């Protein structure tokens, strides 16, 4: 009877241990499933809120070109929702986020130093958003890169250049570099330099330049086309003509006017000089005659 009772006690203990293991594993699996569900909800909610904020901000934008703020706010909301969701998932899996925050707080100096470039890009992006030196759709020159602004992100600004290449520039570099916004006023100056021969009638040449430029349909009447002598070169006189044109048509208008100038100058007998090279030939030094032997 005592042996039977002992065996029954072992059996009950084994059942309890097995049930405890099953319960422990089931709790872990349930937490894992809930964490996966929270992750899915976080991904959906972050995308939905991001799109909602973008649409709402676009309604209050001053113009169609002012799309920088909606893009920036939508990204900011996406990151905030994702961070909150990840914290909730870690808590659900039993990770003590308070201890993690404590460790991060103690190592804040090291993290700040290691991420100073990233944080500088975020801060510069906020400053660019506040000051608005350019907007999405503007044609800009930043350092040695030129193109149309496609997107202002938290860390990078994307522009598309004339070769249809997408260029990514860190916001910190943009904020510390020179920014030229070519579309701020809606038009830009077309300036052409043309050299003519010294014997050219300057009044006739300047009149041709003004007429060709003013008659092109892409140039604006206000301010009026201007032409004058720019400089004296080694091989001729340099003339300059300026006009206001639309930014998007600048390249084509420049090509059209240069072609017309060449053809008209040729028809009027006006020479466009080219560099001359002068060859200097050095003759050998004459030999000194040898005196006759005594």
């Amino acid at each position: 009877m005592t042996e039977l009772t002992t065996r029954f006690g072992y059996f009950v203990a084994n059942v309890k241990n097995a049930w405890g293991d099953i319960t422990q594993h089931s709790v872990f699996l349930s937490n894992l499933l809930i964490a996966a569900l929270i992750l899915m909800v976080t991904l959906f909610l972050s995308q939905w809120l991001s799109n909602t904020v973008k649409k709402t901000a676009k309604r209050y934008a001053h113009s169609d070109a002012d799309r920088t703020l909606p893009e920036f706010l939508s990204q900011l909301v996406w990151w905030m929702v994702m961070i909150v969701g990840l914290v909730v998932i870690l808590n659900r899996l039993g990770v003590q986020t308070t201890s993690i925050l404590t460790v991060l707080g103690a190592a804040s100096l090291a993290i700040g130093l290691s991420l100073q470039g990233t944080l500088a890009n975020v801060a510069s992006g906020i400053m660019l958003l506040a000051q608005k030196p350019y907007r999405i759709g503007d044609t800009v020159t930043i350092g040695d890169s030129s193109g149309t602004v496609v997107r202002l992100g938290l860390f990078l600004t994307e522009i598309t250049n004339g070769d249809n290449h997408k260029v990514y520039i860190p916001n910190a570099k943009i904020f510390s570099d020179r920014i030229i916004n070519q579309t701020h006023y809606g038009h830009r100056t077309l300036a052409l330099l043309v050299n003519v021969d010294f014997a050219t009638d300057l009044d006739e040449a300047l009149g041709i330049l003004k007429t060709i430029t003013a008659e092109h349909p892409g140039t604006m009447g206000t301010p009026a086309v201007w032409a004058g002598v720019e400089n004296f070169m080694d091989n001729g006189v340099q003339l300059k003509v300026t006009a206001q044109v639309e930014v998007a048509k600048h390249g084509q208008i420049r090509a059209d006017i240069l072609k017309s100038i060449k053809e008209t100058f040729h028809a009027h007998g006006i020479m466009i000089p080219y560099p001359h090279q002068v060859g200097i030939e050095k003759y050998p030094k004459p030999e000194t005659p040898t005196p006759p032997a005594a």
Side-chain angles (χ1 to χ4, degrees), residues 1-10:
M1 186 66 179
T2 304
E3 183 179 356
L4 182 60
T5 304
T6 303
R7 290 183 177 179
F8 182 74
Y10 287 154

Side-chain angles (χ1 to χ4, degrees), residues 14 53 86 109 150 165 187 219 225 240 256 274 278:
N14 291 331
V53 169
L86 290 177
L109 180 59
V150 178
H165 296 161
H187 54 84
T219 58
V225 176
K240 182 177 182 179
D256 294 343
Y274 52 87
V278 178

Side-chain angles (χ1 to χ4, degrees), residues 95-254:
V95 179
Q96 297 296 327
T97 55
T98 54
S99 60
I100 295 177
L101 293 176
T102 302
V103 173
L104 291 178
S108 59
L109 180 59
I111 294 174
L113 291 175
S114 61
L115 298 178
Q116 58 181 346
T118 303
L119 297 177
N121 287 327
V122 175
S124 298
I126 295 175
M127 295 299 296
L128 291 172
L129 181 65
Q131 297 185 3
K132 293 184 178 180
Y134 55 79
R135 297 173 178 176
I136 294 178
D138 286 352
T139 301
V140 298
T141 299
I142 302 172
D144 56 353
S145 300
S146 299
T148 303
V149 179
V150 178
R151 181 171 175 264
L152 171 61
L154 283 175
F155 312 107
L156 302 169
T157 293
E158 301 177 17
I159 66 174
T160 302
N161 61 15
D163 296 327
N164 202 27
H165 296 161
K166 185 168 287 189
V167 183
Y168 298 89
I169 308 176
N171 291 333
K173 185 179 186 304
I174 296 174
F175 193 70
S176 61
D177 208 338
R178 182 184 65 171
I179 304 173
I180 300 176
N181 192 331
Q182 301 174 8
T183 54
H184 181 76
Y185 298 107
H187 54 84
R188 62 177 295 187
T189 301
L190 171 68
L192 299 176
L193 298 174
V194 181
N195 292 347
V196 296
D197 190 76
F198 281 111
T200 302
D201 185 344
L202 297 182
D203 291 333
E204 180 185 8
L206 291 173
I208 292 174
L209 291 179
K210 290 185 67 174
T211 301
I212 292 175
T213 306
E215 290 180 351
H216 193 284
T219 58
M220 300 178 180
T222 304
V225 176
W226 177 89
V229 177
E230 177 71 10
N231 202 354
F232 294 105
M233 310 300 290
D234 294 337
N235 59 340
V237 182
Q238 188 176 69
L239 307 181
K240 182 177 182 179
V241 59
T242 61
Q244 296 297 312
V245 299
E246 295 182 17
V247 177
K249 300 179 180 179
H250 177 272
Q252 186 60 50
I253 295 173
R254 176 185 175 87

Side-chain angles (χ1 to χ4, degrees), residues 61-70 134-138 149 183:
H62 299 293
S63 64
D64 293 336
D66 192 10
R67 303 192 301 271
T68 310
L69 181 61
Y134 55 79
R135 297 173 178 176
I136 294 178
D138 286 352
V149 179
T183 54

Side-chain angles (χ1 to χ4, degrees), residues 48-61 69-70 73-74:
W48 180 78
L49 285 177
S50 176
N51 294 333
T52 302
V53 169
K54 183 187 294 185
K55 293 179 181 178
T56 304
K58 283 183 177 180
R59 295 177 184 174
Y60 297 96
L69 181 61
L73 289 179
S74 65

